[in-house]
Amino acid sequence: GAGVSQSPRYKVAKRGQDVALRCDPISGHVSLFWYQQALGQGPEFLTYFQNEAQLDKSGLPSDRFFAERPEGSVSTLKIQRTQQEDSAVYLCASSRGLAGGETQYFGPGTRLLVL
Amino acid sequence: AQSVSQHNHHVILSEAASLELGCNYSYGGTVNLFWYVQYPGQHLQLLLKYFSGDPLVKGIKGFEAEFIKSKFSFNLRKPSVQWSDTAEYFCAVNAPDSSYKLIFGSGTRLLVRP
């Protein structure tokens, strides 16, 4: 079946521009996660949705970052007034259930470069 | 704060050599443990995971990992690597009090020479 998809795969933005990154999770998956992966590092948690509810946004680096999942399926991560330090790969993952320890399935990521 | 340490950032092996990648975590309670792999140009994929029970876990492609609670370790092993194992390997921890978050190590890049 189809896995997690993300678009765009690559995004170049000028500093100060707003960007929107899309995630299509595996159909029927309840949980959705966003991670940020800087060059040479492991992914770092940003935020978590259970259906349409954003239960944890503790990893969002600043109030310029905003995520939503209004209908409990597709999610969008929006970054306002992008800065050079926002350059990273943004990964989306989904899992079937609600419990901890469920396998998270990752998408290919969106590589964001802020000039 | 919880953290995950991967000791080797880069490993170079010849085909048929044995592999062991170290992973240590700092969390005193019950944890779920994972190894993910990222092949060149591909997305992160689960290799294996440990929740409870037998501390020796077998995963895909001949990989296994051993959970040693007293050492807070979850090392990844493979008896004989292949060129196709060239990839980046990430250890991750999922703790019950933040049950949905994965906390990743910084990764180990493995290059297997034919």
Side-chain angles (χ1 to χ4, degrees), chain B:
Chain B
Q2 301 160 30
S3 67
V4 178
S5 299
Q6 292 185 241
H7 316 297
N8 311 101
H9 296 294
H10 294 91
V11 173
I12 302 173
L13 295 173
S14 298
E15 275 194 315
S18 64
L19 170 71
E20 181 159 2
L21 301 182
C23 173
N24 285 89
Y25 62 93
S26 63
Y27 187 78
T30 303
V31 292
N32 301 316
L33 297 155
F34 304 79
W35 276 97
Y36 278 83
V37 61
Q38 188 165 25
Y39 298 104
Q42 297 188 26
H43 56 272
L44 277 168
Q45 303 172 40
L46 182 69
L47 261 184
L48 48 79
K49 60 184 180 183
Y50 171 79
F51 291 169
S52 63
D54 187 344
L56 185 61
V57 180
K58 294 193 183 299
I60 61 172
K61 304 186 179 184
F63 285 91
E64 64 179 30
E66 185 175 12
F67 171 52
I68 303 179
K69 189 174 181 179
S70 61
K71 294 185 178 179
F72 298 88
S73 71
F74 189 56
N75 292 354
L76 181 71
R77 301 195 292 245
K78 186 171 183 177
S80 176
V81 295
Q82 300 173 320
W83 174 79
S84 58
D85 294 324
T86 294
E88 190 160 18
Y89 293 81
F90 293 93
C91 181
V93 169
N94 173 230
D97 62 356
S98 57
S99 59
Y100 36 80
K101 294 181 187 179
L102 285 177
I103 299 170
F104 285 86
S106 57
T108 297
R109 285 188 183 273
L110 172 66
L111 173 63
V112 179
R113 290 182 168 153

Side-chain angles (χ1 to χ4, degrees), chain A residues 19-112:
Chain A
V19 298
L21 313 179
R22 177 188 169 106
C23 172
D24 285 80
I26 294 173
S27 178
H29 277 198
V30 170
S31 298
L32 185 145
F33 309 82
W34 284 97
Y35 293 85
Q36 181 190 58
Q37 186 174 16
L39 193 63
Q41 299 297 317
E44 290 192 3
F45 171 82
L46 293 178
T47 187
Y48 163 61
F49 289 86
Q50 192 180 103
N51 295 307
E52 70 279 1
Q54 188 175 22
L55 298 189
D56 188 340
K57 54 182 181 178
S58 64
L60 296 177
S62 76
D63 59 6
R64 296 185 295 104
F65 286 71
F66 171 77
E68 60 183 4
R69 194 186 184 196
E71 297 178 359
S73 56
V74 171
S75 177
T76 304
L77 176 67
K78 297 179 180 177
I79 309 173
Q80 297 177 323
R81 305 180 304 281
T82 52
Q83 303 294 315
Q84 286 186 321
E85 61 263 28
D86 300 334
S87 296
V89 177
Y90 290 86
L91 297 170
C92 178
S94 69
S95 65
R96 180 167 28 195
L98 309 177
E102 290 259 352
T103 297
Q104 295 184 23
Y105 297 87
F106 284 81
T110 294
R111 187 176 295 274
L112 173 65

